[in-house]
């Protein structure tokens, strides 16, 4: 999942990376809009909570001095209901934002070549020397079946394609 700070600070980089992958870039605008809405709601709810805390202290002082606080307490109950509604709005926007951010694909590194298939790849480095054999090397699937340690045919019947079945020494 992408970091929201990165999306906020470098949305054009995110869009360019998504475009290079062939993914939709419109989702970035939706994420930024939901993030802005969430931040505004958080600012509003925090200011109301701060006001409630300040007035609650004043109510305590007023009660000690013997003054009537019923009107102020009623206003604080109404403020509490507004805060609860805003908290619910924040949770709803937060949920939508989280779901939308999860739909954004990982952005490739700027050094990654752009292309539709493997032909766009480039060799960055090689390690050691390429080995040469005086025979035709076999792949691991062919070797495993020839040695009797893998059984792909039974595995396909049991679990579906793509899963090996270890047998004999392969199992041990």
């Amino acid at each position: 999942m992408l970091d929201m700070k990165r999306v906020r600070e470098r949305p054009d980089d995110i869009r360019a990376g998504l475009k290079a992958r062939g993914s939709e870039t419109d989702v970035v605008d939706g994420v930024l809009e939901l993030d802005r809405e969430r931040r505004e709601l958080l600012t509003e709810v925090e200011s109301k909570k701060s006001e409630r805390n300040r007035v609650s202290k004043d109510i305590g002082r007023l009660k000690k001095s013997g003054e009537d606080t019923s009107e102020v307490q009623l206003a604080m109950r109404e403020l509490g209901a507004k805060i609860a509604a805003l908290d619910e709005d924040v949770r709803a926007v937060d949920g939508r934002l989280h779901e939308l951010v999860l739909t954004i694909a990982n952005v490739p590194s700027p050094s990654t070549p752009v292309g539709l298939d493997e032909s766009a790849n480039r060799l960055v480095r090689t390690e050691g020397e390429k080995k040469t054999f005086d025979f035709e090397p076999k792949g691991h699937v062919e070797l495993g079946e020839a040695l009797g340690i893998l059984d792909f045919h039974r595995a396909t019947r049991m679990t579906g394609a793509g899963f090996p079945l270890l047998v004999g020494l392969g199992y041990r």
Side-chain angles (χ1 to χ4, degrees), residues 60-95:
R61 275 191 237 112
L62 290 171
K63 280 187 173 183
K64 282 184 182 177
S65 65
E67 294 183 40
D68 182 29
T69 60
S70 59
E71 287 183 27
V72 178
Q73 286 178 331
L74 181 61
M76 286 303 100
R77 278 191 214 103
E78 291 173 5
L79 184 62
K82 288 178 186 175
I83 289 171
L86 284 171
D87 279 338
E88 185 58 38
D89 290 345
V90 168
R91 276 191 292 280
V93 169
D94 220 9

Side-chain angles (χ1 to χ4, degrees), residues 75-139:
M76 286 303 100
R77 278 191 214 103
E78 291 173 5
L79 184 62
K82 288 178 186 175
I83 289 171
L86 284 171
D87 279 338
E88 185 58 38
D89 290 345
V90 168
R91 276 191 292 280
V93 169
D94 220 9
R96 290 193 332 248
L97 178 63
H98 184 74
E99 286 177 19
L100 193 57
V101 168
L102 288 176
T103 66
I104 298 177
N106 285 334
V107 179
S109 167
S111 65
T112 303
V114 178
L116 298 175
D117 58 17
E118 292 179 12
S119 65
N121 292 346
R122 67 178 190 274
L123 182 62
V124 176
R125 70 174 181 269
T126 58
E127 296 289 328
E129 294 180 27
K130 189 171 181 175
K131 296 187 181 199
T132 57
F133 301 99
D134 56 354
F135 57 90
E136 181 67 31
K138 296 180 180 179

Side-chain angles (χ1 to χ4, degrees), residues 21-40:
R21 283 187 72 120
S23 299
E24 290 293 321
T25 60
D26 297 342
V27 70
V28 176
D29 295 328
V31 166
L32 290 172
E33 178 60 30
L34 281 174
D35 182 56
R36 184 195 55 75
E37 183 180 342
R38 179 185 170 275
R39 291 165 71 102
E40 286 175 0

Side-chain angles (χ1 to χ4, degrees), residues 145-165:
E145 287 182 332
L147 293 172
I149 60 174
L150 295 176
D151 189 344
F152 284 95
H153 299 293
R154 278 197 300 172
T156 301
R157 284 185 307 200
M158 292 169 59
T159 62
F163 294 97
L165 178 64

